[in-house]
Each structure stands twice: as structure tokens, then as C-alpha cells.
């Protein structure tokens, strides 16, 4: 009788799972990410293409690391709009045994450095419902602005300013939640003497409004997930006509990235389902100021 122990069904299944995860990582061409920054580098590389649900997870993880770090798998899945099993599958693609193991990347990232917590704690301690919401939104706005200060891409910003300042006419494009931002930026550009067109799609005329765009013009586009507006179609028209395109958007998964000459990432925090626009407006106003200053030199 042989003394060798036969492997259990569980060990065989674990080994098969490990091989499967290894094949997934090999297909991606990356080692297992050990930090949140390494994970972002993989996601932003443009070489990873997810099916719809996994892409939805990737966008949520990109934009809400604190929610991922602090939530249960059920809470994170509900916020991302997917099933918990989808989160597990996403984690396994990157070589993790499950979501809890993968979640450690996010916990390490936000530990002691995430500003939203203080604002939310203050809001939860406020007995008045209106002040509770107000303080929550103030906290979300502060978190959004703090994120900009912590990681501002000055090189991309300066390129955006130069492209807009050199344009004969600036087309300002954004819809849905981005529309308040583009409306204010268009108004401010006009007040500063910079010729521009606000593409507002009144009467479903957006495609007609960009009908005369040319290679000497530029587009300032603002777009946020879930990217289901008309904005990508309008920017695609401008791209075909060789206009210069600069974009404010909230993740590397935005369909505008591949069409843009330069872009800035602005991720807005939210409270109780309402998302701040503070950082988007701040960056947009800085762009306007930069354009006016460059044209004056």
C-alpha cells in the first residue's frame, strides 16, 4: 500500500483556482498589484479590456477608494451596482483569493489620509436634518478639492491652457451633471472676451451647433461617469475635423480620453447620493484664468 496521501477535492479545486488566476494575470501581462497605486497603473495602461460589469466595477474602484476600503462586500457591490460575486471575480483577475484580500490595497491607501471621514462624522453627529446634509455636502466638497491639491497634473493643465488660448473659437461641451460646469465656464470665458460657443443642445441641435467646427478651433469638454450622454458623440465629430480637444473627466475609462489632446482627472466626492461639483468648477475656472492670462502675454 502506498504511503502517499491523495490530494483532497478542496486542494485540487484551490490549485485549479490558482492556475486560473495565474493565467488571467499572464494574459494581462502584469504581476499582482501590491498597492492601490500599482492597481491604478494597471487600470490606466489602456491594455486591460473588461466586459461591461467588470468595467463598471473598475470605474467605481477608481473613483471611490474610501468606500471600497470601509465597506462590506455587500455595501460595495450595492454602490457599484453589481453582484458581490462580480467583485470577487474582479479581485481574482488580479491574483487575489477573494474580495477581502483585494480590499487590503484600499485600506492601506486611505488609512489616516482620507478627508471625507471627518466631514461625514460631523454630519452624522448633527441632529438637524438640514444641517446634517449641508455638513455632508461641505465635507464632500472639501474632499474633492483636497484630492485636486494632492495630485494635480500641472503638465497636462498647462498644455490645455495653451491649446485653448491658441484657438480661434472654443466650443464648450458638457451635458447632464456636467452642464452646470460648462455653462459657467462659457459665461466666464465670454465675460473675459474669449470667443466661445456653449453647446447646450437646445431643441436637440447639438450636432448642428458643432457643425462648423474646424482645425483652428478647440473643444473644452467636461464629462463624468456613467458616460451615457451625447458628449462623446459631439467630441468625436470635433476630433474628425481636427479640432484640438481638452477634457475634464473623472477616470481613465472615459470615452473622451482617446479623443483628447490633453485631459485632467477630477473625481468628485458625494454625500447621500448627491455629488459635489466644487473641484470641477475650481479646475475649470483655473483653466479660464490661464487662457486669459496667456492671451494677454
Amino acid at each position: 500500500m502506498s504511503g502517499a496521501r491523495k490530494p483532497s477535492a478542496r486542494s485540487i479545486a484551490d490549485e485549479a483556482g490558482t492556475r486560473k488566476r495565474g493565467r488571467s494575470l499572464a494574459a494581462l501581462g502584469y504581476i499582482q498589484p501590491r498597492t492601490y497605486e500599482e492597481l491604478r497603473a494597471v487600470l490606466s495602461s489602456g491594455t486591460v479590456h473588461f466586459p461591461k460589469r467588470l468595467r463598471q466595477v473598475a470605474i467605481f474602484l477608481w473613483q471611490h477608494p474610501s468606500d471600497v476600503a470601509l465597506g462590506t462586500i455587500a455595501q460595495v457591490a450595492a454602490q457599484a451596482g453589481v453582484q458581490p460575486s462580480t467583485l470577487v471575480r474582479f479581485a481574482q483577475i488580479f491574483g487575489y483569493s477573494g474580495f477581502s484580500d483585494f480590499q487590503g490595497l484600499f485600506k492601506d491607501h486611505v488609512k489616516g489620509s482620507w478627508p471625507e471621514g471627518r466631514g461625514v462624522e460631523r454630519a452624522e453627529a448633527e441632529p438637524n436634518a438640514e444641517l446634517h446634509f449641508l455638513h455632508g455636502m461641505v465635507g464632500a466638497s472639501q474632499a474633492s478639492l483636497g484630492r485636486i491639491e494632492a495630485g494635480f497634473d500641472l503638465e497636462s493643465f498647462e498644455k490645455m491652457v495653451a491649446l485653448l488660448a491658441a484657438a480661434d473659437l472654443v466650443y464648450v461641451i458638457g451635458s447632464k451633471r456636467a452642464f452646470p460646469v460648462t455653462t459657467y465656464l462659457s459665461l466666464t470665458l465670454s465675460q473675459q472676451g474669449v470667443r466661445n460657443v456653449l453647446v447646450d443642445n437646445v431643441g436637440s441641435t447639438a450636432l448642428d451647433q458643432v457643425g462648423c467646427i474646424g482645425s483652428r478651433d478647440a473643444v473644452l469638454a467636461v464629462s463624468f461617469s456613467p458616460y451615457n450622454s451625447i458628449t462623446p458623440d459631439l467630441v468625436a465629430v470635433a476630433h474628425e475635423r481636427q479640432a484640438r480637444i481638452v477634457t475634464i473627466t473623472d477616470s481613465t475609462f472615459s470615452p473622451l480620453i482617446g479623443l483628447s489632446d490633453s485631459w485632467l482627472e477630477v473625481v468628485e466626492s458625494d454625500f447621500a447620493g448627491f455629488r459635489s461639483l466644487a473641484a470641477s468648477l475650481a479646475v475649470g475656472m483655473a483653466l479660464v484664468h490661464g487662457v486669459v492670462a496667456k492671451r494677454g502675454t
Side-chain angles (χ1 to χ4, degrees), residues 173-289:
I173 302 176
S175 56
K176 296 187 177 181
R177 186 166 62 88
F179 188 65
V181 179
T182 54
T183 301
Y184 190 51
L185 296 185
S186 175
L187 172 64
T188 310
L189 285 168
S190 296
Q191 290 174 335
Q192 298 298 317
V194 179
R195 295 176 62 245
N196 72 94
V197 174
L198 174 63
V199 181
D200 54 19
N201 199 28
V202 171
S204 300
T205 59
L207 289 172
D208 297 306
Q209 289 177 309
V210 299
C212 295
I213 195 168
S215 60
R216 297 173 63 87
D217 301 322
V219 169
L220 171 55
V222 183
S223 179
F224 305 118
S225 62
Y227 316 122
N228 58 358
S229 68
I230 194 175
T231 301
D233 294 334
L234 298 174
V235 173
V237 171
H239 182 263
E240 289 174 1
R241 299 187 179 183
Q242 300 182 333
R244 309 312 297 267
I245 299 165
V246 302
T247 296
I248 297 173
T249 192
D250 57 2
S251 86
T252 191
F253 297 96
S254 170
L256 300 188
I257 300 301
L259 301 171
S260 301
D261 295 285
S262 187
W263 67 283
L264 282 170
E265 178 183 298
V266 177
V267 180
E268 299 280 10
S269 298
D270 63 82
F271 179 77
F274 292 86
R275 195 168 296 179
S276 167
L277 289 174
S280 303
L281 285 167
V283 170
M285 293 307 296
L287 278 175
V288 171
H289 180 270

Side-chain angles (χ1 to χ4, degrees), residues 27 47 51 63 80 89 92 125 155 165 171 221 269 290 294:
T47 61
Q63 296 176 348
R89 185 153 53 101
Q92 289 177 340
E155 183 178 349
Y171 288 77
S269 298
K294 194 166 188 67

Side-chain angles (χ1 to χ4, degrees), residues 11-25:
S11 64
I12 293 173
D14 289 343
E15 184 179 350
T18 301
R19 287 199 303 269
K20 182 178 180 181
R21 290 191 295 273
R23 288 195 297 271
S24 296
L25 287 170

